[in-house]
Amino acid sequence: MASLIDRDSSADGGSLPAPGGPGGLGLLLALLSTGCVALAQPPGTAPRPGFPVADPGDLPPRHHLRLQALEEERVILREWIRADGRGWQLRELVLDRRGILQTATTPEPAGAPPARQPAPAPTFPLEIGRHELRQERVGEHLRFTFARQGEAHATVLASLVEVPGLELVSLEVGPGRSPALAALSWRSQAAGAVVEGVEILDLRRGRAALALDRGLEHHAAGRYQESREHFRHAGELDPDFAEAAYDLACAEALLGAHDEAMRLLARAFELSPDRLRAVAEEDEDLAALRERPDWLPLLREGR
């Protein structure tokens, strides 16, 4: 999930300074409140990255980013950038769960972005169609749990880290019976400066993370057949979830399915090459694989 930040001019007519660095779209983290077997992540620790990251200070001082449409598999945004002496430049951004798909820039200067209409801030728990949204603070992050008929359906950790004067403005959930994306609009006003943003919540990864968490509980208790089923389900929910492939490999290795474990490890390393390879070298769950002739080539591949 990426946090898409709209940096506005200050309330008194000045503007926020633009620190050094490239201008353009700022992508922050909004990630899962979960870990994997070998990468256990206690609550309150920093989430692992899944999208490109840029400091919000990279954004130009006259910059607005607005949610245009939230579809089943993608988000459409409009970005206004104030070019000195040339008025406003308008771009349309189309993103999927992996980042920017395409951009289109208007050839002529655009008008200023329309003023935002004030909206009541959401209160929690919040009813959204068939879902209930709950909010809790985890360290410097906000965890949002989507529940359906009282049972947790997805959980995501938003990266609103130390945002001064944070106000949640609105929440929109994508279409479909099992929506893939949600967009959380927020606003901050501190020291005369106004910052607005949209946090894109990846509910598909959130559902997979919940299945992974359930598998971890079984795995820690030595119930490897049960953990295997939950890890497999997490991978089905999100085929690009590296931790799901890795944890399933661990369960398969402990259950004696060594060929399948190696295949899954190759997939996990493809999705997250450096981090998971380093973990695998010390992971006791994979001890039975270390005598195989293909173990070291798999660890060294791509290095």
Side-chain angles (χ1 to χ4, degrees), residues 121-128 133-136 144 168 171 184:
T123 58
F124 298 91
L126 176 68
E127 294 290 338
I128 311 169
L133 177 66
R134 306 166 189 159
Q135 173 199 329
E136 61 180 319
F144 296 93
L168 301 181
L171 183 88
L184 178 70

Side-chain angles (χ1 to χ4, degrees), residues 9-261:
S9 58
S10 65
D12 60 5
S15 62
L16 293 173
L25 180 64
L27 296 174
L28 298 183
L29 301 178
L31 297 167
L32 310 174
S33 55
T34 183
C36 66
V37 170
L39 293 173
Q41 181 174 309
T45 59
R48 294 187 298 276
F51 278 86
V53 183
D55 190 284
D58 290 344
L59 293 172
R62 302 282 290 178
H63 181 277
H64 300 255
L65 193 64
R66 305 283 176 84
L67 179 67
Q68 181 75 6
L70 183 62
E71 300 179 354
E72 186 171 357
E73 293 286 341
R74 64 178 191 167
V75 180
I76 302 174
L77 304 110
R78 284 194 166 183
E79 178 190 42
W80 286 264
I81 299 175
R82 183 64 179 265
D84 293 339
R86 291 182 294 152
W88 291 91
Q89 191 81 35
L90 174 62
R91 293 198 308 172
E92 187 169 273
L93 309 172
V94 182
L95 300 92
D96 67 1
R97 295 170 62 238
R98 297 177 181 86
I100 298 178
L101 283 177
Q102 61 188 48
T103 64
T105 304
T106 55
E108 300 295 332
R116 286 188 183 273
Q117 297 298 318
T123 58
F124 298 91
L126 176 68
E127 294 290 338
I128 311 169
R130 301 166 61 245
H131 295 83
E132 177 189 77
L133 177 66
R134 306 166 189 159
Q135 173 199 329
E136 61 180 319
R137 192 160 183 95
V138 181
E140 297 174 337
H141 302 267
L142 293 175
R143 176 186 286 142
F144 296 93
T145 300
F146 287 75
R148 186 168 57 188
Q149 297 178 343
E151 182 178 355
H153 181 57
T155 179
V156 294
L157 197 63
S159 65
L160 305 175
V161 182
E162 295 183 344
V163 176
L166 175 67
E167 300 174 15
L168 301 181
V169 177
S170 64
L171 183 88
E172 184 176 345
V173 178
R177 298 188 61 182
S178 295
L181 299 169
L184 178 70
S185 296
W186 57 271
R187 181 177 185 271
S188 171
Q189 183 168 358
V194 176
V195 177
E196 295 181 336
V198 180
E199 191 88 2
I200 304 301
L201 306 180
D202 187 344
L203 301 184
R204 182 172 298 165
R205 177 62 58 87
R207 285 190 288 273
L210 205 56
L212 194 75
D213 275 346
R214 290 166 179 159
L216 293 175
E217 294 174 3
H218 289 289
H219 200 93
R223 298 188 293 269
Y224 302 128
Q225 290 185 346
E226 289 86 348
S227 69
R228 175 173 62 183
E229 294 308 310
H230 285 288
F231 296 151
R232 183 175 292 153
H233 183 49
E236 291 169 349
L237 289 170
D238 188 348
D240 296 326
F241 196 3
E243 285 80 358
Y246 182 90
D247 288 353
L248 182 54
C250 291
E252 296 286 14
L254 290 168
L255 291 169
H258 296 169
D259 289 343
E260 179 64 7

